[in-house]
């Protein structure tokens, strides 16, 4: 029925041969046990820094071979976690914020579809869950942090119950339940929680409460940076949202719709709810607890400026993002600032034996969604000092109209290593 030219057939055969060659090369690389660079973790930090490292060597005229960089991660899918906040606010479908991890790996990078089981920095090696030993010339640890659902009694069961009224934006499985619960609320009490301690994107619980109202937080204030905290508190009062500080959620009775909180003096108080949004406690991944590359609290201790391991014996180990000891808010924005610094210093260590002049300032940001089409952009650095990009234009402690460009920028630039924080598409040596 269709006439096909010899040229077209030749093109199809050629394309097929190239595809099979790339597939076979990728499969062969995945069975290697020695790599120049190993990146543990295929999350935001791992994907961004792997591509930036490859590009840095190439720009220096010292290109790495295909397969010299390996990303170790068993996850089938990669989630744009910031986007789950939008799902919880009814502003998007959760499928818009998920991609297959393998589809985000460049052809010159090897994906080892396993998780790290243990680290052996003395021998510059890691062992995977299957027992496979992989060696490296340099290691980047970017395995994120663990969400500790089970530390709150009854929470896991409540989240699994579709009629419990309990939800959380901190899971792909439950983020759409948040909006379903809010939208169906006609009367009663909506309770939103935030624990004391370290969590991913500390502004996320704030984003939820200002869209729809009692707020219980383990923290003494609304936000860690006073400038933004004062503005958020004023906004909370203006909208009639109740504020209960130094209250940590410890138990959920979904059958009777009762949330139990522990207060600063050690006593507990029970709160009735109709809808309960939970921000669970978080901490370091289990594989880091007691690991030779970790500190006593379970984080990877790195120099605050260079992101290189603080132990001189582990000078070829670097870390960024949630799993690191960096004393700054754990956000995607922080990673965009950290990745170029880590890249520059890792390249310099391999090339010259010492770190470069690139320094990380602790910059991070929390885009606080305060209403439909409105946000407050909190930007700060080490010491909780505001470090604003648009402060010359307007007061960033006030809500501004915005257009949501973050998801598009994330998939097109950030996970491909083409976004360098406030420097945009231009690599910089200080952030």
């Amino acid at each position: 029925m269709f006439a096909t030219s010899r040229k077209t057939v030749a093109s199809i055969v050629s394309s097929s041969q190239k595809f099979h060659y790339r597939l076979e090369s990728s499969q062969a690389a995945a069975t290697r046990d020695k790599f120049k660079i190993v990146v543990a973790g295929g999350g935001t930090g791992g994907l961004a820094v792997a591509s930036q490292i490859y590009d840095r060597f190439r720009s220096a005229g010292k290109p790495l071979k295909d397969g010299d960089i390996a990303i170790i991660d068993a996850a089938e899918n990669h989630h744009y976690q910031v986007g789950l906040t939008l799902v919880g606010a009814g502003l998007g479908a959760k499928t818009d914020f998920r991609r297959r991890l393998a589809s985000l790996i460049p052809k010159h990078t090897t994906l080892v579809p396993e998780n790290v089981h243990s680290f052996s920095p003395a021998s510059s090696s890691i062992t995977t869950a299957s027992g496979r030993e992989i060696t490296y010339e340099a290691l980047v640890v970017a395995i994120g942090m663990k969400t500790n659902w089970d530390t709150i009694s009854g929470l896991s069961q409540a989240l699994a119950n579709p009629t419990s009224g309990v939800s959380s934006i901190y899971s792909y499985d439950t983020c759409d339940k948040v909006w379903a619960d809010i939208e169906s609320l006609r009367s009663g009490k909506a309770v939103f929680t935030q624990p004391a301690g370290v969590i991913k994107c500390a502004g996320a619980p704030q984003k939820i409460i200002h869209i729809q109202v009692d707020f219980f937080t383990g923290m003494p204030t609304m936000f860690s940076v006073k400038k933004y905290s004062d503005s958020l508190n004023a906004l909370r009062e203006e909208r009639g949202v109740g504020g209960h500080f130094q209250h940590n959620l410890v138990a959920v009775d979904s059958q009777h719709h009762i949330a139990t909180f522990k207060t600063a003096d050690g006593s507990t108080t029970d709160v009735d709810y109709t809808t309960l949004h939970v921000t669970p406690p978080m901490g370091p991944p289990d594989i880091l607890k007691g690991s030779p590359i970790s500190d006593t609290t379970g984080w990877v201790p790195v120099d605050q400026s260079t992101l290189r391991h603080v132990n001189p014996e582990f000078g070829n180990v670097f870390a960024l993002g949630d799993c690191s000891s960096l004393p700054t808010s754990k956000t995607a924005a922080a990673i965009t600032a950290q990745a170029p610094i880590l890249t520059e210093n890792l390249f310099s260590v391999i090339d010259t034996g010492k770190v470069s002049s690139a320094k990380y300032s602790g910059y991070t940001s929390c885009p606080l969604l305060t209403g439909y089409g409105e946000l407050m952009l909190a930007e700060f650095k080490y010491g909780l000092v505001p470090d604003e990009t648009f402060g010359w234009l307007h007061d960033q402690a006030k809500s501004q109209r915005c257009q949501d460009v973050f998801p598009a920028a994330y998939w097109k630039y950030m996970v491909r290593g083409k976004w360098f924080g406030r420097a945009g598409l231009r690599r910089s040596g200080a952030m």
Side-chain angles (χ1 to χ4, degrees):
M1 183 179 292
F2 297 101
T4 305
S5 69
R6 292 182 179 179
K7 184 176 181 180
T8 301
V9 172
S11 176
I12 294 172
V13 172
S14 176
S15 296
S16 177
Q17 289 173 336
K18 289 178 180 178
F19 171 77
H20 286 295
Y21 172 75
R22 288 198 302 269
L23 180 61
E24 290 167 1
S25 297
S26 176
Q27 291 172 338
T31 62
R32 287 173 48 179
D33 292 326
K34 184 175 183 178
F35 297 90
K36 193 172 186 71
I37 312 291
V38 165
V39 178
T44 303
L47 290 175
V49 81
S51 288
Q52 289 187 23
I53 290 170
Y54 181 85
D55 291 343
R56 182 65 183 91
F57 276 86
R58 184 177 57 181
S59 68
K62 302 176 180 181
L64 300 176
K65 298 176 183 177
D66 284 2
D68 271 354
I69 299 177
I71 293 177
I72 317 293
D73 199 316
E76 181 179 351
N77 296 305
H78 175 97
H79 299 115
Y80 173 45
Q81 295 183 35
V82 178
L84 303 188
T85 300
L86 302 177
V87 177
L91 299 175
K94 66 181 183 181
T95 51
D96 293 340
F97 305 109
R98 179 176 70 175
R99 302 277 174 88
R100 290 185 63 82
L101 176 58
S103 72
L104 301 175
I105 306 295
K107 65 180 181 64
H108 52 70
T109 299
T110 300
L111 173 62
V112 178
E114 295 192 57
N115 286 327
V116 176
H117 175 71
S118 62
F119 297 91
S120 302
S123 60
S124 292
S125 66
I126 61 103
T127 302
T128 68
S130 70
R132 176 181 171 189
E133 185 175 305
I134 294 175
T135 62
Y136 54 80
E137 189 171 333
L139 170 69
V140 178
V141 186
I143 59 175
M145 62 194 307
K146 181 184 177 184
T147 303
N148 297 313
W149 304 102
D150 292 336
T151 59
I152 298 175
S153 177
L155 177 58
S156 295
Q157 298 91 324
L159 289 170
N161 182 350
T163 63
S164 67
V166 180
S167 60
S168 177
I169 58 171
Y170 282 92
S171 166
Y172 183 84
D173 294 331
T174 64
C175 62
D176 48 353
K177 190 182 179 188
V178 177
W179 181 245
D181 286 347
I182 292 175
E183 195 175 35
S184 64
L185 186 65
R186 296 293 180 267
S187 62
K189 181 189 293 185
V191 174
F192 295 82
T193 76
Q194 179 176 351
V198 176
I199 61 172
K200 302 177 185 180
C201 191
Q206 311 284 342
K207 300 172 190 177
I208 286 295
I209 68 164
H210 294 301
I211 289 176
Q212 253 291 286
V213 216
D214 274 320
F215 181 51
F216 288 77
T217 174
M219 305 300 290
T221 60
M222 288 292 290
F223 199 72
S224 56
V225 180
K226 187 177 186 305
K227 174 179 180 177
Y228 308 117
S229 181
D230 289 347
S231 293
L232 287 168
N233 199 56
L235 190 60
R236 176 188 66 78
E237 292 177 342
E238 176 188 321
R239 296 181 175 180
V241 176
H244 306 269
F245 301 98
Q246 294 183 302
H247 281 64
N248 274 305
L249 180 67
V250 294
V252 177
D253 180 348
S254 58
Q255 182 178 356
H256 299 97
H257 282 224
I258 296 174
T260 301
F261 294 87
K262 188 174 184 178
T263 63
D265 63 7
S267 63
T268 60
T269 182
D270 290 340
V271 176
D272 294 329
Y273 69 85
T274 307
T275 295
L276 175 67
H277 175 270
V278 179
T279 302
M282 302 175 197
D286 291 339
I287 65 167
L288 288 180
K289 297 174 183 178
S291 170
I293 67 167
S294 306
D295 60 22
T296 56
T297 61
W299 306 111
V300 182
V302 293
D303 183 275
Q304 294 183 18
S305 297
T306 66
L307 283 74
R308 189 186 192 187
H309 204 285
V310 296
N311 186 338
E313 295 180 7
F314 307 154
N316 61 343
V317 177
F318 296 78
L320 81 166
D322 296 351
C323 70
S324 74
S325 64
L326 296 170
T328 193
S329 188
K330 297 180 183 296
T331 67
I335 289 173
T336 66
Q338 294 164 14
I341 304 302
L342 186 154
T343 295
E344 197 64 31
N345 285 312
L346 183 149
F347 169 77
S348 184
V349 166
I350 290 180
D351 192 45
T352 70
K354 57 184 181 180
V355 296
S356 72
S357 59
K359 306 292 183 185
Y360 174 53
S361 68
Y363 172 81
T364 187
S365 79
C366 296
L368 302 162
L369 195 64
T370 55
Y372 290 101
E374 294 184 355
L375 65 74
M376 180 187 302
L377 183 59
E379 294 181 289
F380 51 100
K381 58 184 178 180
Y382 288 143
L384 303 178
V385 177
D387 186 16
E388 299 176 340
T389 303
F390 305 104
W392 61 275
L393 185 61
H394 57 75
D395 183 358
Q396 288 189 207
K398 294 183 178 180
S399 298
Q400 305 291 331
R401 299 295 298 175
C402 70
Q403 183 175 359
D404 190 12
V405 298
F406 294 114
Y410 183 82
W411 296 119
K412 188 173 183 179
Y413 299 111
M414 189 170 175
V415 293
R416 297 181 181 183
K418 307 301 183 185
W419 188 257
F420 301 95
R422 290 191 296 179
L425 301 178
R426 177 179 57 84
R427 187 174 65 239
S428 174
M431 295 189 184

